[in-house]
Amino acid sequence: MFVHFGIKDAIDILLVALLLYNVYKMMKDSGTINVFGGVMAFLAVWIVVTQILDMRLIGAIMDKLVSVGVLILVILFQDEIRRFLVELGSHKRWRFFFRFFFPDKKTSKKQDYILPLVYACKNMSKTRTGALIVIQKDMSLSQYVQTGDVIDANVNALLIENIFFKNSPLHDGAMIIADNRIVAAACILPVSHNSDIPKSLGLRHRSGLGISQESDATAIIVSEETGNISVARNGKFYLKLSEKDLENLLSDTSL
């Protein structure tokens, strides 16, 4: 029997492919790619059992599992789903649309923190002072701010260096920068359990990668052992950065 295949069907297939690709990418970045493989295998068996073999009893059981499984997946991956929706809404094309109709008067001041931050990281790299600095973007980090000590100060290189000085009571944990201000220090971040992280990278790097997987924030890590500067963004590492590399990464709003 001839089956008509039109433009609407092609668009339908394309949208499903894009959705699956984004789910795959989201789970790969969060280190749960094995879960994605298991879900896809279960769906394949479900389709074979219910649509091809037409097994009613086991099909009914699997239908119930699918309906409950969707709810379980939403609960387990609520942070990843929230991040996906934030990234979708904050896509540069959407941001251009909203800024066209609702111009942001603060846009010119958003990058003022970069130079003092880069200068502080350069000095801490020379003295091998460990540091973990998180820069908030569109997704709020208030839940992590609450785990630390509120500072609410302008971004200043000397202040950053003093906070991460080894004898400072605030040097453990992460500093969070939001709206061009240092909002808190000694904050606790989620730790990434990604098995692809090199064993030479410690807890600061895992925490930096973790917050970049849980949100759209950018994390800067200064290694206490080597003095190397790294950046975690969108679930990816940028390792052994120079002062200029760090400045370029922070200035690039398209990433």
Side-chain angles (χ1 to χ4, degrees), residues 59-77:
I61 295 174
M62 295 189 76
D63 286 341
K64 295 294 182 181
L65 289 175
V66 168
S67 60
V68 176
V70 171
L71 179 61
I72 294 174
L73 288 176
V74 170
I75 295 174
L76 289 176
F77 299 102

Side-chain angles (χ1 to χ4, degrees), residues 131-182:
L132 176 55
I133 304 170
V134 179
I135 303 169
Q136 175 181 296
K137 292 181 70 178
D138 296 315
M139 184 180 292
S140 174
L141 300 178
S142 57
Q143 59 178 320
Y144 304 110
V145 171
Q146 295 172 2
T147 64
D149 295 302
V150 176
I151 295 179
D152 192 23
N154 291 326
V155 179
N156 181 281
L158 290 177
L159 176 59
I160 295 174
E161 292 178 51
N162 283 327
I163 287 175
F164 287 109
F165 182 68
K166 293 181 180 180
N167 294 328
S168 168
L170 299 177
H171 79 281
D172 284 330
M175 171 190 292
I176 296 179
I177 296 176
D179 297 325
N180 209 27
R181 294 181 67 81
I182 300 173

Side-chain angles (χ1 to χ4, degrees), residues 183-235:
V183 295
C187 300
I188 300 173
L189 302 182
V191 178
S192 174
H193 298 286
N194 194 328
S195 59
D196 295 332
I197 300 176
K199 294 182 179 179
S200 58
L201 303 182
L203 184 59
R204 282 194 180 93
H205 289 82
R206 288 188 172 273
S207 298
L209 187 64
I211 193 64
S212 75
Q213 293 173 337
E214 297 286 341
S215 70
D216 61 347
T218 296
I220 305 172
I221 308 101
V222 181
S223 172
E224 188 173 350
E225 289 74 22
T226 63
N228 291 332
I229 300 175
S230 305
V231 166
R233 177 181 278 182
N234 297 327

Side-chain angles (χ1 to χ4, degrees), residues 22-62:
N22 281 282
V23 171
Y24 168 79
K25 184 179 179 183
M26 179 178 66
M27 289 192 167
K28 183 179 180 182
D29 290 342
S30 62
T32 56
I33 189 61
N34 291 333
V35 176
F36 177 81
V39 170
M40 294 305 297
F42 180 84
L43 289 177
V45 173
W46 175 56
I47 291 173
V48 170
V49 168
T50 58
Q51 301 298 323
I52 299 177
L53 301 179
D54 195 21
M55 295 180 176
R56 295 183 181 181
L57 179 58
I58 191 171
I61 295 174
M62 295 189 76

